[in-house]
Amino acid sequence: MTELKQEQKTSSMVVARRLMTYIDRHIGLTVLAVLTTVAANTAALYIPYFSGKAIDAIGEAGQVQFEKVIVLCAWMIACIVFNSVLAYVTQRLLIRISSRITAEMRKEVFEHLLEMPVQFFDTHPVGDIISRISYDIDTINASLSSDIVTIATSVITVVGSFIMMLRISLVLSLIFVITTPLIFFITRHRAKVVRPLFSKRSHKLGELNGFVEEMLSGHKTIKAYGQEETIVGRFDEKNLEAVDSYYEADYQGSIVGPTVNFINNLSLAMISGLGGALYLMKQISIGNISSFILYSRRFSGPISGAAEVLAEIQSAFSAARRVFALLDEPAEKKDDEDAIVLDQVEGRVAFENVRFSYVPEKEIIHGLDLRAEPGRMIAIVGPTGAGKTTIINMLMRFYDPDSGVIRVDGHDILHCTRDSLRKQFSMVLQVTWLFQGTIQENVAYGSEDASEEDVERVCKAVEIHDFITSLKDGYQTVLSDDGVNISKGQKQLLTIARAMLNESKMLILDEATSNVDSTTEQKIQRAMMELCRGKTTFVIAHRLSTIKEADMILVLQNGTVIERGSHEELLQKKGFYASLFNAQWES
Amino acid sequence: MKTLRTYLRPWYGMMAAGLTIKITGSFMELFLPEILSRIIDEIVPRGNMQEIVFWGCVMGAISLLALIFNILANRNASRVARNITENIRHDLFDKALYLTCEKTDAFTIPSIESRLTSDTYHLHRMIGMMQRLGVRAPIIAVGGLIMTFVLDPFLAMVFLAVVPFMVIVLYLRATRGVRMFTEVQKANDRMVGVVRENAQGIRIIKALSKVGYEKKRFHGVNENLKDEEVRANRMMALINPAMNFLLYLGMVGVILAGAYRVNLGLSKTGRILAFMSYFQMISRSLMAVSRMFIMFSRGMASSKRIMEVLNCETEKDYVAKEYPAGDPACALEFRDVTFSYLKVKNNLKNISFKLKKGETLGIIGATGAGKTTVLSLLLHFYDIDEGAIYLNGRDIRSFAPSELRRQFGVVMQNDFLFRDSLEENVRFGRDVSEEEMLEAEEDAQAAEFIHDLPEENSYQLSVKGANLSGGQRQRVLLSRAFAGKPEFLLLDDSSSALDYKTDAALRRALQEKYPDTTMIIVAQRVSSIKNCDEILVLDHGSISGRGRHEDLIKDNTLYQDIADSQMGGALFD
């Protein structure tokens, strides 16, 4: 499930080209970095030149030309300073480029996540998503900041050295005409072997992260059942898979370097053999063999260096594949260009013959009709799986219907911008969601211009003001993930307060009071009634207290409305609703 | 105190073996130029083709050996890194689960999680890399240095003069680097935190149209992470050029000093020439060393964060002491228990109650009154500040935590379901027979809906059981609690999502099938606890009323309030 659709398929060329588009955005800096590298390396090349001359100037005992030596040493120092400064500048440039690119990638991934349909988060473990945005992008970063330069400098040296070798001996150079393609093919072959290993490595690490995230969230339950051992045992399996796949990729990847070295050494042996033969045939001088060998070292050194970074590049590519796969997951469909921007709606909602299925062939909602006048409260009740939450999902356009029309103030919501549609609702869900931030920020979330007084007002309305002021930092108390200082019920009160601040015309309450005790619930109920006044409210509820207040109750079963009416009307009907209502007196 | 060394130590032997192979392989490669120069200097001029071919073949053979040795050594290095990482990760996860709740609260779950994933990853990289690159380079550097001493000790001393500066540069940068990479890791935690919050709250974020705001929030942490990364990497960026600079400065020194020495007849030009080639060797390997320092700093920063957790005390280290016994006739007793999470304000004050075997206690009260805290203390998640808690007359602090908890079946508020089959979620790793499981599901009123599922008990739950409804989740959790046939049952708000019918059937099953089980039921509504032997009404951490339903309904106003809102019950699942 964590494997996204396109992960395996994309070829390295496609990945490389896509990575290049990121570098393209900083092409100026990149060119500058390459230039400074070239300049720094050129300066470095002159150092041996000057040192050679200096040694020549030393000569024999008593004949040292000190002035010349000192001048040459000064030149050397100049080159060294030039080289060091430029090398440092190059490093700084590269850091800037790679950090910008990774920050852009993270931003892109994150913003894409926010555009993703809700369904994506329903089906993908958070741990794996996190693994992509942190560890995978990190891997790309590491490779970008070092491997590009390694390869760029390699190319320069290799080409230069090869020209020099050709000039010395065409015949000897032939050896490299054979061995270099050999290296190329071996490297390519290894790349093919290693590629799936690296994607497995990233994949397994993602899985491990998903597991850790999930299990740590249940650590108290695990403790309560004394199941630490069992869970650690399961972790060990995942861990073993992760380290094994890391090992495989690591080991197989590290074979390339020594192999390429081997071929280089072999060509060295061949040079000495062939060179010897050429010497015997008087085709080449000893001195030339010696400098040919010197250049051949310069030639093959960077090649094996480049082959060694191959493993790094492979792991960066498989990481990039995972990141791109996430970026390629389809986002929510874009709004129509002529989509209506809803503003200040009255709150008239209508469902007209709406059909919906999550999975094709398995229809959940069969031709739903529903009309809600502004300011009315509609309770949607019914057994599990009847489709209550689905109705809300469609109303908020988390999911779109297969057929039929949903209208708000007469506008088909498919032709409204999602953003403006959603702004017309405020919503409280069963699962409380607060973020790391102060109470003030959490309550004001969704109403940018709410003042401190506004926040206080709604907190008083849900009767949590006293609790908040009893905290040391009051409204400025920072809520953290595992804040022990606040209970689940209190968290829910805060989310209700948040919804109360919102001045939208429509309200959705999805089992909003399930974590709150009945005394508190009653108080909230009163506040809610106040809040609901003038708002079209949809309540998914299983609690009678909420349901009874509704103007209309829709009893949903298997995707169809089987009964509708007010509480009293439904009781008189003596149908399904009445039978459930009466069950409470049975015990 | 555990350190990285604790984990490296068992593998020293294997590492040494690998390193020996690596060194041998490296030396073989170093021999090649020697043979080559012999061929060129001595054999080729002699003009004997057979000899040339022979030595060529020797070179080929040595190359092959070097290849085999290097591959073996790399494999060994990967294996050692793999084993060490496996051990560290195992210990860390084990630690994380056994950590006391207090410590977990202090670290926070996301931070522990990032240490388990991101930090162990960096450490893994470091251990592998250090073995592969970290040996050859220093050996060549030191070997080269020794050769220069053999050649000309005086010139070698001149060259050596720059070494202290190099050490200082490396030391200063590396230590500051470790600190900075720790900051990077922290910034990474914050970035991940925002991603996690967004993934979890996506509905609310979309509903409130806060996508723009979240983007801005992410932008903040993302930029911060970028800045920290840049700072740390910049710190490292100076190492390489600085080392290079110092090295060449040393070389200039050697040439100048060499000029005087040659002039005085104390040295020869040839020696300086040879000096240069060794110098090249040393320079290249030192560059490799300084490159490794980046990875080393990052790895050490991660190692520090990991060891911080590994050196925490856990519940495994808990030494159960003897405490005075309580009333042996009571299955469960709270005696004057007072507790505070943050040691600022008491969350529970003077809580006392007694339960005989098979009795049921109901706890009711407003949100935040301390109901759940009572259960947390009973399970010894936290240490009480005053008073004592007894289980069958024995102070719970005299139990090992695991021994204590084994006697309970627990359902917590919004409890934990995980990605696996429904069956596994019920069994929860325990040795529960098929029969026991089915019976538990029957009692928890879950059998019926499970039967309707496509794969029944093998039905795969998604993350947090999101593919079940609230009521179904509660019934799976109840099945889990019942399946162990525990002596004690703790149910925290475990039937709030059940409809009346199911709830009633559940209560009937509890009464009939579990007469000997001592229970504490924390509830939001009166109907769930009406039949309890005793009911505690909690208010701001203190008991405001106690007794049976019939009594409380008469003389406890808080209880009356709650009962009045009795319609807070669920009509539908």
Side-chain angles (χ1 to χ4, degrees):
Chain A
M1 192 176 65
T2 50
E3 192 96 2
L4 297 176
K5 284 161 222 159
Q6 293 158 357
E7 216 134 289
Q8 281 294 332
K9 281 182 249 157
T10 37
S11 77
S12 300
M13 271 317 284
V14 176
V15 176
R17 224 174 285 144
R18 200 157 166 187
L19 278 173
M20 277 310 291
T21 59
Y22 288 91
I23 296 170
D24 254 359
R25 292 181 208 164
H26 305 280
I27 195 69
L29 282 178
T30 312
V31 169
L32 196 61
V34 171
L35 287 180
T36 49
T37 317
V38 172
N41 281 326
T42 318
L45 282 177
Y46 271 100
I47 299 172
Y49 171 79
F50 285 125
S51 73
K53 286 216 157 186
I55 288 166
D56 283 343
I58 291 173
E60 295 292 315
Q63 302 169 356
V64 177
Q65 301 161 270
F66 278 108
E67 268 172 45
K68 211 170 168 187
V69 171
I70 289 169
V71 170
L72 285 165
C73 281
W75 271 110
M76 278 172 72
I77 290 177
C79 283
I80 294 164
V81 171
F82 188 70
N83 163 271
S84 304
V85 169
L86 279 181
Y88 183 62
V89 170
T90 312
Q91 292 278 354
R92 294 281 295 248
L93 282 172
L94 285 172
I95 289 167
R96 183 176 293 183
I97 296 167
S98 70
S99 66
R100 277 193 191 170
I101 289 179
T102 45
E104 278 163 18
M105 269 191 186
R106 282 196 293 258
K107 185 169 163 225
E108 207 174 313
V109 169
F110 181 79
E111 298 193 345
H112 185 70
L113 279 176
L114 289 180
E115 303 298 327
M116 221 83 108
V118 166
Q119 188 186 16
F120 179 82
F121 298 93
D122 292 345
T123 49
H124 288 88
V126 186
D128 188 58
I129 297 172
I130 287 172
S131 167
R132 285 172 208 250
I133 204 170
S134 74
Y135 143 78
D136 284 327
I137 291 184
D138 224 39
T139 309
I140 300 172
N141 184 4
S143 171
L144 277 181
S145 56
S146 66
D147 298 347
I148 291 178
V149 168
T150 313
I151 290 171
T153 39
S154 298
V155 170
I156 298 168
T157 339
V158 166
V159 172
S161 308
F162 195 64
I163 292 170
M164 294 308 284
M165 292 196 302
L166 280 178
R167 280 172 58 184
I168 294 172
S169 168
L170 207 62
V171 185
L172 281 181
S173 306
L174 277 178
I175 292 174
F176 288 98
V177 176
I178 301 164
T179 55
T180 312
L182 191 64
I183 289 175
F184 180 72
F185 283 118
I186 288 179
T187 314
R188 235 181 71 158
H189 171 73
R190 290 306 314 168
K192 271 198 195 126
V193 173
V194 164
R195 198 181 117 185
L197 297 177
F198 274 101
S199 45
K200 190 174 167 200
R201 179 181 104 168
S202 313
H203 176 65
K204 288 290 172 199
L205 199 72
E207 260 187 22
L208 182 79
N209 292 2
F211 181 84
V212 167
E213 159 107 23
E214 193 175 5
M215 288 304 157
L216 286 185
S217 73
H219 74 112
K220 275 194 180 152
T221 310
I222 295 169
K223 269 190 208 301
Y225 279 87
Q227 288 308 307
E228 293 97 333
E229 292 290 341
T230 325
I231 303 298
V232 170
R234 268 181 223 167
F235 172 82
D236 284 347
E237 282 168 32
K238 302 259 176 208
N239 186 18
L240 193 68
E241 280 174 25
V243 289
D244 272 347
S245 57
Y246 188 108
Y247 163 71
E248 270 301 309
D250 203 26
Y251 160 54
Q252 295 287 352
S254 72
I255 288 180
V256 183
T259 311
V260 171
N261 257 336
F262 169 66
I263 295 174
N264 282 334
N265 287 333
L266 220 53
S267 33
L268 216 56
M270 287 186 336
I271 290 170
S272 54
L274 191 60
L278 286 177
Y279 172 77
L280 291 185
M281 289 184 270
K282 305 218 184 310
Q283 297 282 323
I284 195 167
S285 71
I286 294 274
N288 272 345
I289 296 181
S290 150
S291 39
F292 188 89
I293 286 168
L294 276 180
Y295 280 113
S296 77
R297 300 230 89 170
R298 290 205 75 115
F299 174 76
S300 54
I303 289 188
S304 49
E308 269 176 62
V309 298
L310 178 85
E312 300 250 338
I313 292 176
Q314 281 294 325
S315 84
F317 269 39
S318 70
R321 241 179 231 117
R322 279 165 57 79
V323 173
F324 292 152
L326 187 59
L327 285 175
D328 291 341
E329 277 288 298
E332 279 183 327
K333 247 190 6 240
K334 287 259 176 297
D335 293 323
D336 291 344
E337 275 183 29
D338 53 350
I340 301 160
V341 178
L342 291 176
D343 189 30
Q344 302 288 324
V345 297
E346 283 179 59
R348 184 176 298 109
V349 177
F351 280 64
E352 295 166 11
N353 195 21
V354 170
R355 292 177 182 277
F356 178 80
S357 53
Y358 287 101
V359 193
E361 316 273 293
K362 279 177 86 181
E363 201 172 79
I364 303 274
I365 303 285
H366 321 287
L368 177 75
D369 282 302
L370 158 69
R371 206 161 283 278
E373 293 304 315
R376 290 305 169 90
M377 184 177 190
I378 316 288
I380 306 169
V381 301
T384 300
K388 292 170 292 186
T389 305
T390 309
I391 293 178
I392 303 301
N393 278 341
M394 288 192 290
L395 201 51
M396 296 294 285
R397 286 200 66 193
F398 292 148
Y399 292 86
D400 286 335
D402 298 342
S403 66
V405 184
I406 303 170
R407 294 183 195 281
V408 168
D409 278 19
H411 304 293
D412 182 344
I413 60 168
L414 289 185
H415 298 307
C416 301
T417 62
R418 280 195 183 76
D419 215 43
S420 72
L421 171 74
R422 288 171 183 160
K423 269 195 181 133
Q424 305 309 317
F425 291 94
S426 45
M427 158 169 175
V428 185
L429 301 180
Q430 184 183 20
V431 184
T432 55
W433 182 76
L434 298 168
F435 59 92
Q436 184 139 15
T438 64
I439 292 179
Q440 167 83 27
E441 286 165 353
N442 266 288
V443 174
Y445 192 79
S447 340
E448 286 80 3
D449 16 83
S451 65
E452 278 176 36
E453 289 74 38
D454 292 333
V455 170
E456 232 181 272
R457 177 174 53 80
V458 290
C459 286
K460 276 181 185 154
V462 298
E463 320 223 351
I464 194 167
H465 175 75
D466 288 343
F467 167 74
I468 295 172
T469 44
S470 79
L471 295 171
K472 204 176 82 207
D473 300 319
Y475 280 88
Q476 298 310 317
T477 306
V478 174
L479 300 173
S480 66
D481 250 16
D482 303 280
V484 284
N485 46 354
I486 177 160
S487 76
K488 290 211 166 92
Q490 286 163 332
K491 280 186 186 170
Q492 191 135 45
L493 288 178
L494 289 178
T495 63
I496 294 169
R498 177 195 287 163
M500 291 177 99
L501 260 190
N502 208 307
E503 280 170 0
S504 49
K505 279 290 179 201
M506 293 178 285
L507 182 67
I508 290 173
L509 307 171
D510 187 354
E511 307 189 3
T513 49
S514 59
N515 278 323
V516 176
D517 62 279
S518 26
T519 331
T520 317
E521 189 195 358
Q522 241 192 343
K523 289 169 187 164
I524 294 170
Q525 207 68 50
R526 284 195 294 271
M528 279 293 206
M529 282 300 134
E530 202 61 37
L531 169 81
C532 293
R533 184 165 300 159
K535 290 188 184 188
T536 317
T537 309
F538 292 87
V539 197
I540 292 184
H542 47 249
R543 290 198 180 197
L544 207 48
S545 50
T546 327
I547 300 168
K548 266 174 82 175
E549 306 284 348
D551 297 298
M552 181 167 61
I553 301 167
L554 293 180
V555 185
L556 220 62
Q557 198 174 30
N558 298 324
T560 0
V561 179
I562 54 165
E563 289 171 23
R564 67 174 86 199
S566 70
H567 179 67
E568 279 71 28
E569 286 166 5
L570 287 178
L571 281 187
Q572 276 168 12
K573 255 188 203 166
K574 295 202 169 30
F576 184 62
Y577 182 85
S579 79
L580 279 171
F581 180 77
N582 290 325
Q584 65 172 315
W585 318 116
E586 277 169 16
S587 51
Chain B
M1 260 288 275
K2 274 190 175 160
T3 58
L4 187 54
R5 213 170 290 148
T6 324
Y7 288 91
L8 296 180
R9 198 172 293 128
W11 304 101
Y12 277 168
M14 200 165 158
M15 273 194 213
L19 298 188
T20 317
I21 299 173
K22 181 102 202 173
I23 292 164
T24 321
S26 305
F27 271 119
M28 286 194 162
E29 273 186 277
L30 291 177
F31 264 124
L32 288 176
E34 284 300 315
I35 298 177
L36 194 63
S37 66
R38 262 196 70 189
I39 295 179
I40 293 166
D41 292 346
E42 297 169 23
I43 299 162
V44 172
R46 251 184 266 153
N48 186 338
M49 195 60 210
Q50 258 178 335
E51 245 185 308
I52 296 174
V53 172
F54 171 78
W55 282 106
C57 288
V58 170
M59 278 180 74
I62 289 178
S63 309
L64 191 66
L65 280 177
L67 169 73
I68 294 168
F69 279 27
N70 274 322
I71 288 181
L72 283 179
N74 283 354
R75 186 166 75 174
N76 192 68
S78 297
R79 201 172 276 166
V80 169
R82 172 203 168 286
N83 292 342
I84 293 171
T85 312
E86 191 188 351
N87 290 344
I88 289 183
R89 232 186 242 153
H90 166 91
D91 282 9
L92 191 58
F93 187 75
D94 188 82
K95 209 67 175 181
L97 286 188
Y98 281 105
L99 224 49
T100 60
C101 291
E102 236 163 278
K103 272 273 184 301
T104 312
D105 293 342
F107 276 120
T108 76
I109 296 268
S111 161
I112 294 178
E113 196 187 308
S114 107
R115 287 165 215 242
L116 253 163
T117 53
S118 173
D119 284 317
T120 54
Y121 170 75
H122 287 301
L123 195 62
H124 193 165
R125 261 169 74 100
M126 177 187 91
I127 297 171
M129 219 41 125
M130 292 301 282
Q131 289 180 84
R132 265 207 304 268
L133 306 177
V135 183
R136 189 174 160 180
I139 284 182
I140 291 177
V142 172
L145 216 54
I146 291 172
M147 291 308 282
T148 59
F149 265 95
V150 174
L151 219 60
D152 186 331
F154 184 85
L155 289 183
M157 292 298 282
V158 173
F159 184 54
L160 215 55
V162 294
V163 171
F165 294 101
M166 287 182 175
V167 172
I168 289 171
V169 169
L170 274 182
Y171 177 78
L172 286 182
R173 291 282 148 165
T175 45
R176 287 178 67 186
V178 172
R179 243 179 292 146
M180 285 185 160
F181 279 113
T182 313
E183 290 304 316
V184 171
Q185 216 47 47
K186 275 190 203 156
N188 189 58
D189 283 2
R190 285 192 290 272
M191 188 272 294
V192 165
V194 173
V195 176
R196 178 182 292 107
E197 277 172 1
N198 273 269
Q200 285 164 350
I202 191 74
R203 277 191 161 79
I204 300 281
I205 291 163
K206 290 199 174 201
L208 294 175
S209 300
K210 295 296 276 186
V211 167
Y213 175 85
E214 289 301 324
K215 281 183 184 169
K216 231 183 286 156
R217 205 153 75 90
F218 183 79
H219 182 74
V221 286
N222 191 21
E223 285 297 305
N224 176 258
L225 172 58
K226 188 187 94 184
D227 293 345
E228 291 293 351
E229 276 170 354
V230 168
R231 259 159 53 92
N233 284 320
R234 269 192 196 155
M235 182 56 72
M236 294 290 130
L238 190 72
I239 292 183
N240 217 328
M243 298 286 277
N244 219 347
F245 178 75
L246 286 170
L247 212 59
Y248 278 107
L249 218 56
M251 193 177 88
V252 172
V254 167
I255 292 176
L256 282 176
Y260 282 99
R261 302 253 312 157
V262 170
N263 203 27
L264 296 174
L266 296 172
S267 191
K268 284 194 184 120
T269 327
R271 280 195 202 158
I272 303 177
L273 209 57
F275 218 97
M276 290 300 126
S277 60
Y278 283 116
F279 169 79
Q280 284 283 351
M281 254 166 67
I282 297 170
S283 136
R284 217 170 291 146
S285 53
L286 273 184
M287 286 305 123
V289 171
S290 62
R291 255 200 306 276
M292 280 181 330
F293 258 82
I294 300 177
M295 202 168 287
F296 177 75
S297 303
R298 181 134 211 196
M300 285 318 282
S302 286
S303 160
K304 245 178 61 191
R305 278 162 51 92
I306 292 169
M307 295 307 153
E308 226 172 78
V309 178
L310 283 177
N311 284 312
C312 277
E313 261 187 49
T314 62
E315 292 179 340
K316 271 188 185 168
D317 309 315
Y318 182 80
V319 186
K321 274 179 269 170
E322 278 309 310
Y323 282 88
D327 180 356
C330 285
L332 215 161
E333 183 184 356
F334 266 57
R335 196 179 283 177
D336 253 343
V337 172
T338 297
F339 171 72
S340 157
Y341 282 108
L342 302 172
K343 313 296 170 211
V344 183
K345 200 183 92 196
N346 281 338
N347 298 77
L348 280 183
K349 282 184 288 274
N350 305 97
I351 303 294
S352 297
F353 61 83
K354 285 182 178 184
L355 281 180
K356 292 214 173 58
K357 190 175 174 63
E359 283 186 333
T360 304
L361 177 80
I363 303 179
I364 202 160
T367 296
K371 295 172 300 210
T372 303
T373 309
V374 172
L375 303 188
S376 289
L377 294 182
L378 180 53
L379 288 166
H380 203 175
F381 284 159
Y382 298 92
D383 269 321
I384 52 173
D385 298 334
E386 284 166 45
I389 303 171
Y390 301 100
L391 206 71
N392 292 321
R394 196 173 144 193
D395 192 306
I396 60 161
R397 284 168 293 190
S398 68
F399 288 93
S402 59
E403 189 194 351
L404 171 77
R405 291 169 195 158
R406 207 172 296 140
Q407 310 179 47
F408 293 94
V410 187
V411 178
M412 290 191 266
Q413 229 177 352
N414 297 342
D415 208 347
F416 163 68
L417 289 173
F418 51 92
R419 258 191 312 156
D420 207 322
S421 64
L422 192 144
E423 186 172 350
E424 238 344 283
N425 271 282
V426 173
R427 287 187 202 269
F428 205 32
R430 294 165 300 174
D431 194 15
V432 172
S433 75
E434 181 86 13
E435 262 167 55
E436 284 172 316
M437 180 184 78
L438 294 176
E439 199 188 332
E441 287 172 354
E442 194 72 45
D443 296 341
Q445 310 305 314
E448 203 186 313
F449 91 80
I450 293 174
H451 185 71
D452 288 341
L453 291 173
E455 292 102 3
E456 303 202 10
N457 269 306
S458 324
Y459 183 69
Q460 288 291 318
L461 302 194
S462 56
V463 184
K464 293 183 183 162
N467 52 350
L468 294 180
S469 76
Q472 290 172 337
R473 278 199 292 270
Q474 286 191 336
R475 281 178 277 170
V476 174
L477 292 167
L478 285 166
S479 309
R480 177 192 286 169
F482 295 164
K485 298 232 172 298
E487 217 188 313
F488 299 89
L489 266 178
L490 308 179
L491 307 178
D492 188 356
D493 195 21
S494 60
S495 58
S496 57
L498 302 183
D499 59 54
Y500 287 124
K501 244 185 194 162
T502 316
D503 197 16
L506 171 70
R507 262 175 284 142
R508 237 184 341 263
L510 277 176
Q511 259 164 13
E512 286 165 13
K513 310 266 297 269
Y514 298 87
D516 291 334
T517 310
T518 314
M519 280 182 243
I520 299 185
I521 300 175
V522 171
Q524 311 276 12
R525 56 185 192 213
V526 168
S527 63
S528 307
I529 52 159
K530 218 162 77 181
N531 301 323
C532 290
D533 299 294
E534 185 174 25
I535 297 167
L536 296 185
V537 185
L538 284 190
D539 186 23
H540 294 292
S542 321
I543 298 176
S544 97
R546 63 195 314 157
R548 296 182 66 87
H549 172 74
E550 296 75 30
D551 309 324
L552 287 169
I553 200 87
K554 269 183 235 144
D555 48 47
N556 187 291
T557 45
L558 192 55
Y559 192 77
Q560 284 161 358
D561 274 354
I562 299 170
D564 277 347
S565 59
Q566 181 44 228
M567 50 266 311
L571 196 52
F572 292 98
D573 180 346

